[in-house]
Amino acid sequence: MSILKNISSPKDIKKLSYSDLDNLADELRNKILDTVSNNGGHLASNLGIVETTIGIHRVFDAPTDQIVFDVGHQSYAHKLLTGRQNEFNTLRQWKGISGFTNREESIYDPFGAGHCGTSISAALGLASANHLDGNENYVIAIVGDGAFTNGMIYEALNNCTKNHLKLIIILNDNEMSISTNVGGLSRYLTKIRISQKYFNLKYKTQSFFEKIPLVGGGLVSGTRKIKNHVKNVIVIENFFEHLGIDYLGPVDGTDIKKIETVLNEAKNKNECCLVHVQTIKGKGYQPAEDNPENYHSVGAFDLEKGVDDKKKDRNFSSVFGEILCQEAEENQSICAITAAMTGGTGLNGFRAKYPERFYDVGIAEEHAVTFCAGLSVNQKTPVCAIYSTFIQRVYDQLIHDVAIQKLPMVMALDRCGLVPGDGITHQGIYDCTYLTSIPGIEIFSPETYDEMSQAFQYGFKSKSLVVIRYPKGSELRYDRSHYISCGELSYCDFSPDNYDAVIITYGRITKNVHDAIELIKDKVHVRLVKLVKVYPLDFEKIFSVIECAKMVYILEEGIKSGGIGEKLACEFAQDDRMQSKKVVIRAIENPLMEQGDLTSLYACYGFLPEQIAAEIYDVYQTGTNLN
């Protein structure tokens, strides 16, 4: 008989026996495995934190007690225990539930997160507000050890020393972030894990004394008086306690009873406390335990066969890795830098071939960029590979540490444009709007692998900050033989007659525009102009290929406000030669989209070929101006 089916809220697990809880943990893992193998998602971290999640919901009273997950991609068991199991099969699907915590989805998600390092700051704010209101409820921040490579965590810890805050920080230590953890903190946690023998002794001693009738409680109280001395002898000096934060652990995060014991002890403290739990990433599914990095984030896969990493299709990320390895063979100054995304950014090959020139800095994007600036000063050629969604964090470093100092650097911007599955927090649609404000920057957005290679060759030789942005996935195939190249742009005509409408676009969405024109080419004489370099724009060259048009339609897989389309339209509006031309922009105006597959996201914003074709034809026929 299923236990999980009878769980509608966390209250339902408080009355279960430990035997039933173990069975519930197995059911949760099976549900997570079945769903992620069908839908894709974050797997290894969620399998590892099941028992810890059960323990948290047994000890605390959510949603009155507020639980904040760092990143939120380890919250699947939490979702299943908080009334969302009937919708769990829609995980990461269009109109389904998010793969991260989401305030709009449930009252059990007090704070949403898709980026790393935010949890303790948010939880501290929640706990401080509770304290101001005289509220005795607890706030629990669940933070993976990988997040402790992010500087924001330490900024928050530095402010957690105020007395009487009901704030408990749970350090989920699985020895992994996305790629294997790196740096001094990883080595420190390795040392501190040795002290688990002390915590096991303490747990067994306390359990033994508590079972003694009448005097057991007094014996427990008495042993606490010598605890600190014993702890100082057995355990290395503790970093967190030096910050003024009580530390408990490490404790086995796969043992529900031990988790409950340490969390109840943390509750009894009248100040901020950190509980160090050790979990096993991928627990319960052997392929994920053996290779957790491959199972951090996965697409749909066969549970029996597992993820076959060797059969991955060639894609923009892997091609980037190939380009970099080839260049590094000839150019000894090339260095590759990433922020805990070695595999995701295609740098596994570079790491293996040139380990001395490879730097994984952990989840520390700001440090990564300024580190690159230092490399650049001393005549190295830094190539920093980061996802578009995370480049939002380094705007200051790009301006202050790179652009103002006129230092050459290449940014390989992965996952640009709309990104399927991960939802609103991971969209790569903002970068063009704010990066174009950086002095001296050059931005390329190739549609093909060849264009990508040419852009990187330019970047390697450039004396400025060069950004090369590309989408998740593979190059889209269609006949490009009729394109005429004009350097940083190319164009093609779909009619032997002279064109009277022009569509300007760039990047992956070009194929959809091409397919749209095929649908209406007998009705409208269209020229397609594809930009490769999207900033700064050569307006004279662009004007030379659109001068005969009566209508200019600009389509951009990015934010409309401040985007490339608006920059073009603004320039056109100031040019007397463009006054008789109608200019229409199709771009993303309301970026608060749900998660879903790429086709659903495209349909939401009018980016499907049939939608594009219908709009172009309507504007052309009726003279409707959407601006």
Side-chain angles (χ1 to χ4, degrees):
M1 181 178 176
S2 172
I3 298 171
L4 180 58
K5 286 183 179 179
N6 294 317
I7 306 298
S8 58
S9 79
K11 291 180 180 179
D12 296 324
I13 69 172
K14 294 180 184 291
K15 56 193 175 186
L16 296 178
S17 68
Y18 285 108
S19 175
D20 284 343
L21 291 174
D22 289 338
N23 291 330
L24 174 62
D26 290 339
E27 286 191 54
L28 288 168
R29 281 197 177 86
N30 288 334
K31 183 69 172 178
I32 290 168
L33 279 166
D34 288 343
T35 303
V36 174
S37 64
N38 284 319
N39 297 4
H42 292 89
L43 185 60
S45 57
N46 280 293
L47 294 177
I49 201 173
V50 169
E51 285 86 0
T52 297
T53 303
I54 291 172
I56 291 167
H57 279 295
R58 290 259 294 179
V59 172
F60 297 100
D61 295 315
T64 305
D65 293 329
Q66 296 169 300
I67 302 170
V68 179
F69 284 84
D70 205 278
V71 182
H73 67 346
Q74 53 183 331
S75 62
Y76 291 3
H78 165 76
K79 287 175 182 276
L80 286 166
L81 295 175
T82 54
R84 285 171 273 186
Q85 60 173 293
N86 290 337
E87 296 80 33
F88 196 70
N89 65 319
T90 69
L91 182 75
R92 293 164 50 90
Q93 304 298 298
W94 185 248
K95 300 296 183 182
I97 64 172
S98 171
F100 301 91
T101 49
N102 187 327
R103 281 171 48 81
E104 295 185 4
E105 185 178 289
S106 172
I107 59 172
Y108 290 95
D109 295 354
F111 197 81
H115 291 187
C116 174
T118 63
S119 59
I120 300 179
S121 296
L124 179 58
L126 293 167
S128 297
N130 285 346
H131 181 67
L132 290 172
D133 292 340
N135 187 330
E136 293 296 313
N137 297 327
Y138 291 90
V139 180
I140 304 94
I142 303 170
V143 194
D145 54 332
F148 275 79
T149 61
N150 183 273
M152 192 172 170
I153 290 289
Y154 299 95
E155 295 173 23
L157 286 173
N158 192 46
N159 286 275
C160 284
T161 56
K162 187 174 181 180
N163 292 332
H164 312 303
L165 283 181
K166 301 280 189 178
L167 172 60
I168 296 171
I169 301 165
I170 297 176
L171 166 54
N172 175 26
D173 177 6
N174 56 32
E175 303 184 49
M176 293 284 293
S177 52
I178 296 170
S179 302
T180 305
N181 278 333
V182 296
L185 182 77
S186 177
R187 290 189 290 272
Y188 174 76
L189 289 177
T190 299
K191 289 181 180 179
I192 211 171
R193 287 179 200 114
I194 298 169
S195 66
Q196 187 167 21
K197 291 180 180 178
Y198 156 77
F199 192 84
N200 287 341
L201 174 64
K202 172 187 166 184
Y203 169 77
K204 290 176 181 177
T205 302
Q206 182 172 320
S207 296
F208 173 75
F209 283 155
E210 284 176 343
K211 292 176 182 177
I212 300 175
L214 301 177
V215 298
L219 287 171
V220 170
S221 179
T223 59
R224 286 189 178 131
K225 295 179 181 179
I226 62 170
K227 179 191 73 172
N228 289 337
H229 173 73
V230 174
K231 186 174 180 181
N232 287 335
V233 171
I234 297 177
V235 186
I236 60 175
E237 289 190 7
N238 189 282
F239 167 77
F240 304 105
E241 292 184 340
H242 279 304
L243 289 177
I245 299 170
D246 273 4
Y247 170 90
L248 294 173
V251 61
D252 183 355
T254 65
D255 187 318
I256 297 171
K257 190 178 290 187
K258 287 183 179 179
I259 287 291
E260 288 185 30
T261 298
V262 70
L263 291 180
N264 277 312
E265 183 172 348
K267 281 181 72 172
N268 290 332
K269 296 180 179 290
N270 199 28
E271 54 195 7
C272 180
C273 178
L274 185 140
V275 176
H276 182 177
V277 303
Q278 290 180 271
T279 60
I280 302 168
K281 204 165 188 180
K283 180 175 169 59
Y285 183 58
Q286 198 60 49
E289 288 191 41
D290 294 340
N291 196 348
E293 186 173 345
N294 272 8
Y295 288 86
H296 169 73
S297 178
V298 297
F301 68 99
D302 187 320
L303 275 174
E304 294 293 324
K305 298 178 181 178
V307 173
D308 189 352
D309 192 47
K310 295 179 181 178
K311 290 188 177 181
K312 283 186 177 180
D313 293 334
R314 198 165 181 247
N315 55 52
F316 279 100
S317 302
S318 65
V319 171
F320 158 66
E322 294 168 11
I323 293 168
L324 203 57
C325 282
Q326 291 167 7
E327 181 67 18
E329 190 171 349
E330 300 294 329
N331 184 347
Q332 299 299 311
S333 73
I334 290 285
C335 298
I337 300 91
T338 188
M341 289 284 186
T342 305
T345 55
L347 288 174
N348 280 335
F350 191 99
R351 177 179 60 181
K353 197 170 183 180
Y354 305 106
E356 73 285 354
R357 288 188 273 158
F358 172 76
Y359 303 91
D360 182 346
V361 302
I363 308 175
E365 293 87 356
E366 299 92 335
H367 162 66
V369 170
T370 305
F371 173 69
C372 286
L375 288 170
S376 183
V377 168
N378 275 5
Q379 309 306 310
K380 301 304 177 189
T381 305
V383 181
C384 188
I386 297 179
Y387 291 3
S388 172
T389 183
F390 302 129
I391 203 71
Q392 295 162 193
R393 296 185 151 199
V394 302
Y395 183 68
D396 176 63
Q397 286 74 23
L398 287 171
I399 293 177
H400 184 271
D401 301 331
V402 182
I404 288 177
Q405 304 190 65
K406 299 181 180 178
L407 293 172
M409 173 181 165
V410 179
M411 288 293 312
L413 218 56
D414 205 327
R415 270 55 168 189
C416 292
L418 290 168
V419 179
D422 285 335
I424 189 171
T425 60
H426 280 61
Q427 298 306 319
I429 56 178
Y430 300 96
D431 53 85
C432 280
T433 63
Y434 58 85
L435 291 179
T436 49
S437 66
I438 296 175
I441 197 169
E442 297 181 90
I443 305 174
F444 294 80
S445 190
E447 184 206 7
T448 68
Y449 298 150
D450 285 342
E451 291 170 354
M452 182 187 196
S453 179
Q454 291 166 18
F456 273 106
Q457 293 306 319
Y458 176 88
F460 296 145
K461 297 177 178 66
S462 176
K463 299 300 181 184
S464 62
L465 170 59
V466 175
V467 173
I468 299 158
R469 59 188 308 279
Y470 44 92
K472 181 179 182 179
S474 303
E475 172 186 293
L476 302 177
R477 297 186 177 184
Y478 65 99
D479 182 12
R480 297 183 177 88
S481 62
H482 46 301
Y483 278 95
I484 298 171
S485 178
C486 294
E488 294 166 352
L489 62 79
S490 60
Y491 68 90
C492 62
D493 295 321
F494 287 74
S495 169
D497 300 318
N498 204 13
Y499 65 91
D500 49 15
V502 167
I503 305 178
I504 302 174
T505 191
Y506 62 89
R508 170 181 60 185
I509 200 71
T510 302
K511 182 181 186 299
N512 283 21
V513 175
H514 183 280
D515 293 348
I517 297 172
E518 288 285 354
L519 297 174
I520 57 171
K521 65 182 182 181
D522 294 333
K523 303 174 184 177
V524 184
H525 300 157
V526 181
R527 168 172 285 184
L528 170 57
V529 176
K530 177 179 68 171
L531 306 176
V532 177
K533 186 176 186 179
V534 297
Y535 192 83
L537 294 162
D538 186 338
F539 292 105
E540 284 301 316
K541 182 176 286 186
I542 292 171
F543 183 78
S544 72
V545 297
I546 69 171
E547 56 185 335
C548 297
K550 298 175 183 177
M551 181 192 83
V552 178
Y553 180 96
I554 307 166
L555 189 142
E556 178 173 13
E557 192 179 332
I559 294 294
K560 181 177 181 180
S561 178
I564 303 302
E566 284 200 349
K567 286 177 171 58
L568 281 167
C570 182
E571 187 70 21
F572 293 161
Q574 300 175 70
D575 193 319
D576 291 340
R577 296 170 295 179
M578 294 291 296
Q579 296 307 306
S580 62
K581 303 182 192 301
K582 184 186 306 176
V583 178
V584 175
I585 301 172
R586 166 58 61 184
I588 297 171
E589 296 189 66
N590 176 17
L592 300 179
M593 77 286 290
E594 299 185 42
Q595 65 285 336
D597 61 280
L598 191 58
T599 299
S600 297
L601 295 174
Y602 274 171
C604 179
Y605 292 106
F607 289 167
L608 294 177
E610 57 270 25
Q611 294 172 310
I612 298 167
E615 183 172 63
I616 292 171
Y617 186 66
D618 181 62
V619 173
Y620 183 78
Q621 285 290 99
T622 65
T624 302
N625 194 329
L626 302 183
N627 292 331

